Amino acid sequence: MSSSPDIAGILENTKELDRLRKEQEEVLVEINKMHKKLQATPEVVEKPGDTSLSKLKNLYIQAKELSESEVTVSTILLTQLDSLLPSGPTGQQRRKLGNDQKRKRMKVESDVQRVSPSVRNQIEAYASLRGEQVAARVTADDAEKDEWFVVKVIHFDRDTKEVEVLDEEPGDDEEGGGQRTYKLSMSCILPFPKRNDPSTTQEFQPGKHVLAVYPGTTALYKATVISTPRKRKSDEYLLEFDDDEEDGALPQRTVPFHKVVALPEGHRQ
């Protein structure tokens, strides 16, 4: 039913992935130029006021940040694709490959090489979230509404691909009060942008629907982007939250960029 928005989201992220890879290529070209320059004239770094080494360092930092962004976008893409693919055939295919691995090694080797890095990147990305705050959907797949909260990752099980999270500030109406833990699938987790790294964060344009932490709470709701951090020359978005009506109008609220994520496909609110 929701295939078109699903596909639209996937296409948007593939474009972002292309952009990141092109930027990486440009940075690598610059790094190679610097390497050649330093190999040809190593004595240049000893000249007073020469900035060659600091430029090289900044290029490496940029390359690292772009690479990390690529992992994040790849992770989101894999989650989106997982939600569209039926789980049965994939599992059967994996078992088949495992049983016949020796006999079919030559035939499937190229496929394995092509798929493995992405899967490995996805697993590493989730494993590296331990101790970090993320957005998590804590309601069941068939629930009437999706509820997303800010939680802390306490463990990632590489075998079951489940993420164990801690809801540090459950609401007053939660049964039993106190902190709660959940074991959730990877598709229920959305990493937040890195707070100290706004330059490599995907910026959502005005009119785009997002999921954002409502000010003063640990709950995330659907919102529409009114203005971007870049345009506002700050680290905050200006957003209008759905169902946030006051005196017949939607108030515009500021939310830090690191508390805003892409709206999941088929979100129910």
Side-chain angles (χ1 to χ4, degrees):
M1 291 282 198
S2 62
S3 63
S4 56
D6 285 343
I7 299 299
I10 287 168
L11 288 174
E12 193 169 314
N13 279 321
T14 53
K15 279 182 194 166
E16 178 64 10
L17 210 52
D18 280 343
R19 186 189 69 77
L20 287 167
R21 282 176 182 161
K22 278 173 190 160
E23 274 193 48
Q24 281 180 25
E25 283 167 21
E26 287 166 14
V27 171
L28 285 172
V29 167
E30 291 302 313
I31 286 173
N32 287 333
K33 277 186 195 169
M34 290 293 292
H35 282 175
K36 282 178 184 171
K37 179 186 167 186
L38 292 171
Q39 280 169 351
T41 54
E43 68 278 2
V44 76
V45 298
E46 293 172 17
K47 287 184 182 174
D50 180 74
T51 57
S52 301
L53 291 179
S54 61
K55 277 182 188 171
L56 189 59
K57 182 185 174 185
N58 287 334
L59 285 168
Y60 272 112
I61 290 168
Q62 208 178 336
K64 178 176 174 282
E65 288 171 348
L66 285 166
S67 178
E68 286 169 351
S69 293
E70 186 186 342
V71 171
T72 303
V73 176
S74 299
T75 302
I76 294 167
L77 258 173
L78 284 162
T79 306
Q80 287 174 321
L81 289 165
D82 278 347
S83 68
L84 287 178
L85 290 167
S87 54
T90 311
Q92 289 163 10
Q93 185 184 24
R94 212 166 23 237
R95 281 196 294 277
K96 191 176 176 184
L97 289 175
N99 294 339
D100 302 335
Q101 195 169 11
K102 284 180 187 170
R103 207 155 21 103
K104 299 185 180 177
R105 187 167 222 152
M106 295 301 288
K107 183 173 175 292
V108 302
E109 195 165 1
S110 61
D111 290 336
V112 169
Q113 285 172 348
R114 192 167 63 244
V115 173
S116 294
S118 299
V119 174
R120 191 164 61 245
N121 281 348
Q122 185 186 27
I123 290 168
E124 290 309 319
Y126 277 84
S128 70
L129 290 172
R130 185 175 174 182
E132 303 229 352
Q133 286 193 327
V134 296
R137 175 166 63 82
V138 296
T139 41
D141 289 340
D142 56 357
E144 199 174 307
K145 290 183 179 180
D146 293 336
E147 290 185 7
W148 288 82
F149 297 118
V150 178
V151 296
K152 184 177 180 180
V153 176
I154 51 180
H155 180 65
F156 174 64
D157 190 319
R158 289 170 185 265
D159 296 325
T160 63
K161 309 291 186 292
E162 281 187 326
V163 187
E164 189 173 355
V165 299
L166 174 69
D167 185 0
E168 297 176 284
E169 298 180 38
D172 298 332
D173 54 347
E174 298 264 344
E175 284 179 27
Q179 298 182 334
R180 283 188 67 179
T181 58
Y182 300 89
K183 282 189 178 178
L184 304 169
S185 68
M186 289 161 71
S187 61
C188 293
I189 301 293
L190 288 175
F192 284 119
K194 290 183 176 156
R195 183 190 298 234
N196 58 354
D197 205 1
S199 60
T200 57
T201 301
Q202 178 191 0
E203 189 166 77
F204 303 107
Q205 296 307 305
K208 182 84 177 165
H209 294 308
V210 294
L211 200 63
V213 178
Y214 190 84
T217 75
T218 56
L220 291 93
Y221 298 98
K222 183 182 173 186
T224 304
V225 176
I226 304 302
S227 187
T228 65
R230 195 168 296 164
K231 196 171 180 184
R232 290 165 49 79
K233 293 184 171 57
S234 75
D235 65 351
E236 294 178 321
Y237 280 96
L238 191 63
L239 305 175
E240 280 183 358
F241 284 88
D242 287 19
D243 311 321
D244 186 27
E245 206 169 294
E246 277 183 9
D247 303 323
L250 288 176
Q252 297 182 346
R253 304 188 186 276
T254 55
V255 178
F257 79 91
H258 56 84
K259 291 190 174 181
V260 179
V261 294
L263 185 73
E265 304 299 337
H267 175 73
R268 296 158 297 189
Q269 185 164 309

